[in-house]
């Protein structure tokens, strides 16, 4: 259940406010990419045709994602070029028969349970005041395309999920911005550098249908996904309590 109400966003630029989306609320404020797959991932390539927004897709529905998430989460949302990220997430869901990720994003902070919704909302609206120039730094274009699997209990893995992503990079400006947000939300010191990415699809790790070849095929046919740096449109607050279907 989405417990975070939809409210009008707080603009970082008063001349261009961002309208809210359903389910959460927001505060506004050349090297060629590589292609990589983890050693624990599935097929490197697939003969399956790439996703096409106009195609007649009749893929059987997958079992909904079974992992139970928790807490309140901050997402970084990016500008889009002809809704390229939104289309990619939608197309991946239709192609694989998986649940659609509700909003393209990179996660800034996950699973906050020490704040109430109202307390988190108050701090959300303060984010522009702690960021340099009131805005999150521009994200450079992706450096990799990746498909991976995580299983709870393995080193460094805190959930069980399969996913496909556009891998982004952090820099000193991003690290400084995230440190400010962590301080604002009382999250303490971070244990390592930010590893931002934009997930295109989620699936259960058991016999996942996600594979790198399909993602490569799709992004090469939609070059803005790889070739554009992106301004950050908003930092949004979501309740990620329960399964993906509950968000």
């Amino acid at each position: 259940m989405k417990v975070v109400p939809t409210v009008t966003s707080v603009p970082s630029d008063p001349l261009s406010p961002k309208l809210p989306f359903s389910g959460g609320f927001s505060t506004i404020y050349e090297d060629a990419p590589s292609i990589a797959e983890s050693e624990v991932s599935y097929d490197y390539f697939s003969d399956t045709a790439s996703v096409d927004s106009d195609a007649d897709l009749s893929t059987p529905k997958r079992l909904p994602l079974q992992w139970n998430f928790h807490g309140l989460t901050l997402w970084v949302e990016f500008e889009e070029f002809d809704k390229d990220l939104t289309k990619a997430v939608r197309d991946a869901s239709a192609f694989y028969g998986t649940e659609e990720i509700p909003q393209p994003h990179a996660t800034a902070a996950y699973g906050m349970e020490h704040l109430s919704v109202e307390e988190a909302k108050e701090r959300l609206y303060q984010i522009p005041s702690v960021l340099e120039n009131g805005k999150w730094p521009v994200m450079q274009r992706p450096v990799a395309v990746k498909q991976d699997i995580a299983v709870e209990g393995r080193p460094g893995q805190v959930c069980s999920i399969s996913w496909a992503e556009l891998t982004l990079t952090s820099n000193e400006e991003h690290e400084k911005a995230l440190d400010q947000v962590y301080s604002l939300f009382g999250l303490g010191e971070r244990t390592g550098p930010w590893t931002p990415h934009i997930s295109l699809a989620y699936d259960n790790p058991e016999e996942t249908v996600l594979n790198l070849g399909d993602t490569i095929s799709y992004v090469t046919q939609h070059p803005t996904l790889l070739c554009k740096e992106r301004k950050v449109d908003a930092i949004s607050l979501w309740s990620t309590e329960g399964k993906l279907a509950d968000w």
Side-chain angles (χ1 to χ4, degrees):
M1 180 177 64
K2 296 174 181 175
V3 300
V4 182
T6 300
V7 301
T8 304
S9 303
V10 178
S12 61
D13 180 354
L15 298 180
S16 56
K18 177 182 181 294
L19 294 178
F21 55 87
S22 176
F25 56 94
S26 315
T27 184
I28 310 299
Y29 54 60
E30 290 269 273
D31 293 331
S34 66
I35 296 171
E37 180 165 287
S38 163
E39 61 182 10
V40 299
S41 301
Y42 281 67
D43 299 335
Y44 277 80
F45 298 96
S46 170
D47 294 329
T48 307
S50 62
V51 180
D52 185 333
S53 299
D54 299 321
D56 180 15
L57 301 172
S58 56
T59 304
K61 292 295 184 182
R62 294 278 294 166
L63 177 71
L65 189 60
Q66 294 300 291
W67 181 255
N68 279 293
F69 299 85
H70 63 91
L72 298 171
T73 296
L74 293 171
W75 287 355
V76 179
E77 298 176 41
F78 304 98
E79 69 172 320
E80 299 198 44
F81 303 95
D82 192 26
K83 295 190 178 298
D84 56 346
L85 294 175
T86 297
K87 291 176 181 177
V89 168
R90 182 196 65 198
D91 289 348
S93 173
F95 181 69
Y96 288 120
T98 52
E99 294 170 286
E100 185 173 335
I101 298 171
Q103 173 76 25
H105 66 276
T107 299
Y110 163 69
M112 296 183 291
E113 296 183 315
H114 64 295
L115 297 173
S116 69
V117 170
E118 291 304 316
E119 290 170 333
K121 285 169 60 177
E122 285 184 16
R123 301 185 191 206
L124 179 75
Y125 289 123
Q126 297 174 39
I127 289 179
S129 69
V130 302
L131 297 180
E132 188 172 348
N133 298 319
K135 297 180 181 180
W136 197 277
V138 170
M139 298 298 298
Q140 300 303 308
R141 63 185 185 172
V143 296
V145 178
K146 181 179 179 181
Q147 187 267 319
D148 206 351
I149 294 171
V151 177
E152 184 191 20
R154 292 180 180 174
Q157 299 180 354
V158 297
C159 63
S160 297
I161 189 173
S162 175
W163 76 99
E165 70 172 52
L166 302 176
T167 306
L168 306 173
T169 57
S170 183
N171 58 31
E172 290 185 5
E173 290 182 314
H174 297 137
E175 296 297 317
K176 180 179 178 181
L178 194 55
D179 282 342
Q180 296 292 340
V181 170
Y182 263 57
S183 177
L184 176 64
F185 280 78
L187 293 170
E189 292 188 9
R190 295 185 292 126
T191 57
W194 190 32
T195 56
H197 61 272
I198 301 173
S199 293
L200 303 180
Y202 294 152
D203 190 21
N204 294 298
E206 300 84 7
E207 300 182 355
T208 180
V209 295
L210 306 185
N211 68 73
L212 184 62
D214 293 331
T215 308
I216 294 171
S217 181
Y218 185 88
V219 299
T220 55
Q221 294 183 52
H222 300 82
T224 59
L225 294 172
L226 290 179
C227 298
K228 295 286 191 180
E229 66 177 25
R230 297 177 190 267
K231 297 177 183 177
V232 171
D233 275 351
I235 307 295
S236 57
L237 177 67
W238 284 71
S239 171
T240 50
E241 193 71 38
K243 297 177 181 179
L244 177 62
D246 300 325
W247 296 0

